[in-house]
Amino acid sequence: PEYRDNLHTVAHQFIPTLPLHIGIDFGLTPAAIFGQRSPLGQVRWLSELFATRLGAKNFAKEIKVHLADRYPGAILGSITGDPAGTAGAQTDEKTAFDMLASEGVMAKPAPTNNFEIRREAVATPMGLLIDGQPGLVLHPDMRMTRKGMAGGYHYKRIKVSDERYADKPEKNMFSHVCEGGQYHNLGLGIGKDVIKMPDIITKQRANRPQFANMDMT
């Protein structure tokens, strides 16, 4: 509910002198968010990358192509992935992080996979005002992420007599890029304060339904 497309969408540009950070969500529908942080602390998501039925090794190749095309000569900062990627495959015990490293993408697992912390790592900067703009902004070309933030990424409604929602968001076509953004922000160190939040506050922020209602071209 913190997201407003007309407010949080800004056509900012890649700045070669600032580090480029990457957040990665694994699985057979992997996704990555590429972004930077301004000297004043504004988080700028620059681009998105997602695929269908693609393993970590091949997705690492896509990341390298994306970097070469969009960010030649970039100074790489944090590359942060879903901690679930530390689990080894049953066939050879290699992890998703091992697969990325084999292609030269040296990612590290996020410090936590707690959903409330991940969520607040995105929601908190959106509520800040930095030099007249929100503390987190998205490039207009990030259509999948924008639709996800506007409600495509939402809590699943539970079929009971009253209106209830699951504790975690529904896995769908929008969830991967949005969670890639969460890992991007965790890699920047955002979200640490949420660990100290009283349980009653985190519970109040949960179970809020959001539905996408956007028509972007």
Side-chain angles (χ1 to χ4, degrees), residues 110-123:
T112 180
N113 210 13
N114 178 282
F115 171 68
E116 279 299 324
I117 297 175
R118 288 192 283 122
R119 183 201 176 282
E120 293 304 318
V122 174

Side-chain angles (χ1 to χ4, degrees), residues 56-85:
K57 186 177 182 67
N58 286 326
F59 190 60
K61 295 178 181 179
E62 295 297 320
I63 290 175
K64 291 170 64 177
V65 170
H66 190 85
L67 288 171
D69 288 346
R70 300 286 295 268
Y71 311 109
I75 304 168
L76 288 181
S78 61
I79 305 178
T80 309
D82 179 356

Side-chain angles (χ1 to χ4, degrees), residues 146-154 174 209-215:
R146 287 169 58 200
K147 288 182 178 181
M149 295 285 283
Y153 180 56
H154 57 259
F174 301 107
Q210 295 296 309
F211 301 95
N213 184 19
M214 302 178 64
D215 183 17

Side-chain angles (χ1 to χ4, degrees), residues 2-10 134 137 146 150 214 216:
E2 294 86 357
Y3 181 75
R4 298 291 181 271
D5 191 67
N6 60 352
L7 176 65
H8 293 97
T9 301
V10 179
V137 290
R146 287 169 58 200
M214 302 178 64
M216 293 181 289

Side-chain angles (χ1 to χ4, degrees), residues 38-97:
S38 77
L40 294 179
Q42 184 186 49
V43 179
R44 300 166 177 171
W45 290 358
L46 296 162
S47 62
E48 60 190 8
L49 179 66
F50 50 91
T52 302
R53 300 199 65 80
L54 198 66
K57 186 177 182 67
N58 286 326
F59 190 60
K61 295 178 181 179
E62 295 297 320
I63 290 175
K64 291 170 64 177
V65 170
H66 190 85
L67 288 171
D69 288 346
R70 300 286 295 268
Y71 311 109
I75 304 168
L76 288 181
S78 61
I79 305 178
T80 309
D82 179 356
T86 57
Q90 293 182 352
T91 52
D92 55 11
E93 296 186 352
K94 289 186 178 180
T95 70
F97 289 96

